[in-house]
Amino acid sequence: MILRPPFLLTTVGSWCLVFLAAFEAMAVTTVMPQITADLNGRDLYAVAFSAALAAGVVGMVGFGSWADRRGPTVPLLVSIVVFAAGLIVAGTASSMPVFVAGRFLQGLGAGGDTVALYVLVAAVYPTELHIKIFGAFAGAWVIPSMVGPFVAGLVAAALSWHWVFLGVVLLVAIATIMVLPSVRGRDKPPAERTPMSAADWRRLARAVVVAVSVVAVSSYPIVLVVAGFALVGLLPKGTYRAKPGLPASVLLVGVAAGIYYGTDVYLPLLLQERYGLPTWLSGITLTTGALAWAGASAIQARLADRVDPGASVRLGAVLLASGAAVELVTVILHLSPVVAAAGWLVAGAGMGTLFPRISTLVLAYSKPGEEGFNTGAKSITDAVGGSASLAVAGLLFSAAPFIGPFAFTTLLGLAAILISRRVMAPMPVAA
């Protein structure tokens, strides 16, 4: 069992590291309106989110290759230090550009420690326990999505938003101490370490171009085209054409992430500015969406093979698109915030219905030896889709507050419905 010696400390420590990275990703949404008000940085509101997501792409690609070639010890510890440094920079920031820099470091470190932990799991745990520890990691993401926004709102109200970041640093240090015994000696001997190949450097360069382009979109919209070209070598062929099967599945992940995150970050701002809700109460609204996501995921897991996966994907896309459309209608017609909360519950149910099925399909469409590339492509489109959507939504918010971003994510919802009809295709013979 993963909660018994000799795995207990490694399990708890690594779970906490995943949990804390997830907490920061979820909790900051609630307090961002207050941060941008204090730092006079409303024009960088979306960039503060997109910077972290985009940096995560670089972290996943760079630290992942490093861990594969050297072993998990040094890459994991370095990524944790980078994440902690980002917390300190963001928590002590006195200007919005400095805060954005801290968020970039957080994303870089979080992306790196996620993949380094996966390499550590392969080195520490026997194969039969992998599914248990990865299931625990999944839970480490679900819990923050449910409690993170609410807790962050309470901390900001009782202390200040600075402690949403600074308070996590000590917890990161404790979690790191727990995993130290397991990481000692896990790096490969010097003779077995291999240098980065030309292909690895190209992938890393593409990831950097994507990250920089996405962050720069708010100032130079044309660079989004550059990001699109840089992604080509990181995605399955035919992704941009929504070719049926694997390419359409990977594309749908990015579009769904764009809908969810492009709406999610402006919902607390809407509730606090237009409706005067306190920070903690707007956080509860986000929590309802997270609960619906978790509940729908549990239903999909229980239904397993009893429901056609294509039907589940199509239903999830419709629910997600409907949730985004409800937020747009709420703004246009000045409806009650209860309607906005209900719409976000529907969107969360859509994500919970959609994502487990897409993850399963990506693996099912993968031939032996392609699993890593394809699952990595799914993670990259998730991060890039969310960060690019945030950047575009930020531009639209400047032109038409709230209506602009929500109209954009509603259009993405229509695209998701169309793409969802192309995810099913014949499986490879090996599957």
Side-chain angles (χ1 to χ4, degrees), residues 282-305:
S282 65
I284 289 179
T285 301
L286 297 183
T287 300
T288 61
L291 287 171
W293 187 332
S297 296
I299 291 173
Q300 289 300 308
R302 183 175 293 275
L303 292 176
D305 296 331

Side-chain angles (χ1 to χ4, degrees), residues 8-250:
L8 176 60
L9 283 179
T10 307
T11 298
V12 175
S14 57
W15 186 91
C16 287
L17 289 172
V18 175
F19 174 88
L20 293 172
F23 176 82
E24 283 302 312
M26 304 296 179
V28 71
T29 305
T30 305
V31 297
M32 192 62 75
Q34 184 178 347
I35 294 171
T36 53
D38 287 352
L39 301 181
N40 193 29
R42 183 56 52 81
D43 55 331
L44 294 177
Y45 183 89
V47 177
F49 292 99
S50 61
L53 287 172
V57 176
V58 180
M60 286 184 284
V61 174
F63 282 92
S65 296
W66 191 12
D68 283 340
R69 299 183 178 283
R70 181 195 174 98
T73 302
V74 174
L76 177 60
L77 295 179
V78 171
S79 64
I80 292 173
V81 170
V82 172
F83 178 66
L87 292 172
I88 294 171
V89 171
T92 57
S94 58
S95 68
M96 199 62 188
V98 174
F99 178 80
V100 170
R103 291 287 293 154
F104 189 91
L105 289 174
Q106 287 177 48
L108 185 66
D113 75 34
T114 298
V115 294
L117 282 173
Y118 274 54
V119 177
L120 180 66
V121 165
V124 172
Y125 295 84
T127 304
E128 61 270 17
L129 292 182
H130 286 181
I131 191 170
K132 293 184 179 295
I133 188 66
F134 288 144
F137 285 174
W141 273 94
V142 171
I143 295 174
S145 67
M146 293 189 291
V147 304
F150 176 67
V151 171
L154 289 180
V155 171
L159 299 172
S160 77
W161 62 263
H162 299 275
W163 287 102
V164 175
F165 303 94
L166 297 177
V168 175
V169 176
L170 178 60
L171 300 178
V172 170
I174 294 173
T176 304
I177 291 171
M178 290 183 181
V179 300
L180 277 178
S182 295
V183 300
R184 289 197 185 102
R186 296 293 178 182
D187 273 352
K188 298 177 180 179
E192 297 181 13
R193 298 172 190 171
T194 56
M196 292 272 284
S197 66
D200 290 328
W201 283 113
R202 284 195 296 270
R203 292 190 75 232
L204 181 58
R206 287 177 180 274
V208 171
V209 170
V210 169
V212 173
S213 299
V214 167
V215 174
V217 164
S218 58
S219 300
Y220 308 99
I222 191 63
V223 300
L224 195 59
V225 177
V226 177
F229 279 112
L231 274 174
V232 171
L234 304 176
L235 304 178
K237 293 181 180 179
T239 297
Y240 288 156
R241 293 184 286 108
K243 182 180 177 181
L246 176 65
S249 299
V250 171

Side-chain angles (χ1 to χ4, degrees), residues 344-401:
W344 206 232
L345 187 145
V346 172
M351 290 294 276
T353 303
L354 180 70
F355 259 61
R357 293 294 183 175
I358 288 291
S359 298
T360 303
L361 286 172
V362 167
L363 283 178
Y365 286 132
S366 300
K367 298 176 182 177
E370 295 180 352
E371 298 91 346
F373 176 84
N374 291 336
T375 55
K378 183 178 85 66
S379 298
I380 288 170
T381 54
D382 188 358
V384 174
S387 54
S389 173
L390 286 168
V392 174
L395 289 172
L396 296 173
F397 182 84
S398 300

